[in-house]
Amino acid sequence: MIDLNFISRFKTKAKYKKTYKNAKLSYLNRIRWAVSMFYFGMGLCFATWASRIPDIKTELHLGSGELGTILFAIPLGQLIIMPFSGKLVTRFGSHRILIFSLLFYVFSLANLGLAAASWQLSLGLLFFGIFGNLANIAVNTQGVYTEELFKKTIMSSFHGMWSLAGFIGALVGIGMLALKLTPLVHFVTVGGIVLLLMVFNFKFLIKAKETIKTEKKKLFSKPDSALIWLGIIGFCCMASEGVMFDWSGVYFKDVVKAPGPLVILGYTSFMIMMAGGRFFGDGLIHKFGRKTVMQISGIMISTGLFTSVFFPFLIPSTIAFMFVGLGVSTIVPTIYSIAGKNPTVPPGEALTIVSSVSFLGFLMGPPVIGYIAELFGLRFSFAFIGVFGVLIAFMVSRIKAIQ
């Protein structure tokens, strides 16, 4: 076994202890900004890798099938660490685990630029997935703690920073390609920027540690049913989101018959509305409540997907994908916020349960769409995923934990 006790040595120096009750609003805003920058750094790392996938594919002479197999190393790494990530966050504190995991996430990104063979790229992506998942649980735990300080919903804005980083990462990638810089130079440059963000913000992470229960538990104990249901809602949402990431361009090309560069219009409209919805979502939740916003979001997902199926033309489909982007924008941040406040399970472990079930949707959704499309066509497969939005609205109305 690897001794992880060394993580506890990474203690951040602070002038105060764990109580923030009397802290000024300006200082609380500084904490919120610091946590936002960690979300931003994670999104920038992932977007940076994604922007150079075609370039690396060409450089390593990979076929589409071989690349698809290699890309499964990321979710494999995430699945490997999932059983342990919540326990590590609870044991050592989310602030320490976040610093540790994001640091190695950056190093893993840089190492991807060194890959000279397919097996090296696969191994690099495996570690990229491991540290990415660990950082994801830790940063969302920090998001839950910060939300508690403000006594209002702010989780969507954190996820909005991740989405914003995706846009900026894509733009930086275009610039790096225009300058004809190698993936290694690109990855190291972005890694340096993320490290600077960490240096200027790590002192403001919330140093809270959950009380570890001492009673003996079974190795495979039954998880809280409310968390499972939240995970199923996340599954439906992330399946819809994953389909839009992987298949929106194909849909616009093969079904909508969008001309030339307009093929990316569907994906772009989806991403813009998803990011915008996350920045405005907290205000809507504060005004109308989580249940109402999530029910409307589910209906919007279904409305958007069904509209694109029944009216597969450029303008209607673009508007439809905007609806889907707005629909998915607030659901995952909201269920993470609810899970983190579970009264019987520490936030890190609760988030692990919910994110594990949710992530299966992101992992399984796109391949299932491919199989259905092969048998019945892409429009039918989009209609199949469209049902998930209605399921979200129905389940939200039945779960007592959502108010």
Side-chain angles (χ1 to χ4, degrees), residues 295-371:
Q295 287 175 323
I296 293 174
S297 295
I299 296 301
M300 290 182 74
I301 292 172
S302 292
T303 300
L305 288 169
F306 287 138
T307 299
S308 68
V309 169
F310 291 115
F311 302 97
F313 311 107
L314 186 64
I315 294 178
S317 292
T318 300
I319 296 173
F321 280 24
M322 293 170 71
F323 268 74
V324 179
L326 280 175
V328 303
S329 63
T330 58
I331 292 176
V332 171
T334 302
I335 64 172
Y336 279 11
S337 175
I338 297 169
K341 297 178 178 65
N342 187 285
T344 61
V345 183
E349 296 185 30
L351 288 169
T352 299
I353 294 171
V354 173
S355 65
S356 297
V357 179
S358 301
F359 182 74
L360 289 176
F362 196 82
L363 178 63
M364 296 172 59
V368 169
I369 279 292
Y371 297 137

Side-chain angles (χ1 to χ4, degrees), residues 91-103:
R91 171 68 178 85
F92 297 105
S94 59
H95 59 291
R96 295 191 185 106
I97 293 297
L98 180 54
I99 295 168
F100 166 79
S101 56
L102 187 54
L103 182 64

Side-chain angles (χ1 to χ4, degrees), residues 40 44 47-48 51-52 164-181 185-187 189-191 193:
F40 185 88
L44 190 61
T48 297
S51 70
R52 299 305 291 259
L164 178 63
F167 281 117
I168 295 177
L171 291 175
V172 171
I174 292 172
M176 292 290 182
L177 286 170
L179 295 173
K180 297 182 179 180
L181 297 176
V185 173
H186 182 182
F187 294 168
T189 301
V190 170
I193 293 172

Side-chain angles (χ1 to χ4, degrees), residues 22-225:
N22 299 321
K24 294 181 180 179
L25 180 60
S26 60
Y27 192 78
L28 294 181
N29 285 328
R30 183 63 183 88
I31 293 172
R32 181 177 180 177
W33 176 256
V35 175
S36 296
M37 288 298 97
F38 275 84
Y39 274 92
F40 185 88
M42 287 180 59
L44 190 61
C45 284
F46 187 82
T48 297
W49 149 248
S51 70
R52 299 305 291 259
I53 291 176
D55 199 26
I56 292 175
K57 177 178 180 289
T58 302
E59 189 175 323
L60 298 183
H61 307 289
L62 300 173
S64 297
E66 188 178 4
L67 176 63
T69 302
I70 290 172
L71 290 178
F72 263 104
I74 293 180
L76 178 60
Q78 292 175 323
L79 290 171
I80 287 173
I81 196 62
M82 271 182 182
F84 312 104
S85 52
K87 298 185 188 311
L88 289 171
V89 167
T90 302
R91 171 68 178 85
F92 297 105
S94 59
H95 59 291
R96 295 191 185 106
I97 293 297
L98 180 54
I99 295 168
F100 166 79
S101 56
L102 187 54
L103 182 64
F104 279 91
Y105 194 49
V106 169
F107 288 158
S108 298
L109 173 66
N111 284 332
L112 294 176
L114 295 171
S118 58
W119 70 267
Q120 294 174 341
L121 182 61
S122 298
L123 185 62
L125 290 175
L126 181 72
F127 284 102
F128 195 61
I130 288 173
F131 292 115
N133 179 263
L134 196 56
N136 176 56
I137 299 300
V139 78
N140 277 293
T141 303
Q142 283 284 311
V144 169
Y145 291 154
T146 308
E147 196 172 62
E148 282 291 325
L149 293 180
F150 280 83
K151 305 298 182 184
K152 63 179 182 179
T153 304
I154 59 174
M155 184 67 83
S156 290
S157 66
F158 289 141
H159 286 252
M161 292 300 293
W162 193 96
S163 299
L164 178 63
F167 281 117
I168 295 177
L171 291 175
V172 171
I174 292 172
M176 292 290 182
L177 286 170
L179 295 173
K180 297 182 179 180
L181 297 176
T182 65
L184 178 60
V185 173
H186 182 182
F187 294 168
V188 170
T189 301
V190 170
I193 293 172
V194 175
L195 289 177
L196 284 175
L197 290 176
M198 292 176 65
V199 167
F200 287 111
N201 293 286
F202 80 100
K203 289 184 179 181
F204 297 95
L205 292 177
I206 298 174
K207 298 149 192 73
K209 189 175 179 183
E210 291 296 317
T211 302
I212 302 172
K213 297 180 180 180
T214 56
E215 59 264 24
K216 189 175 182 180
K217 289 185 178 182
K218 294 180 180 179
L219 182 60
F220 297 102
S221 57
K222 183 180 178 181
D224 189 296
S225 60

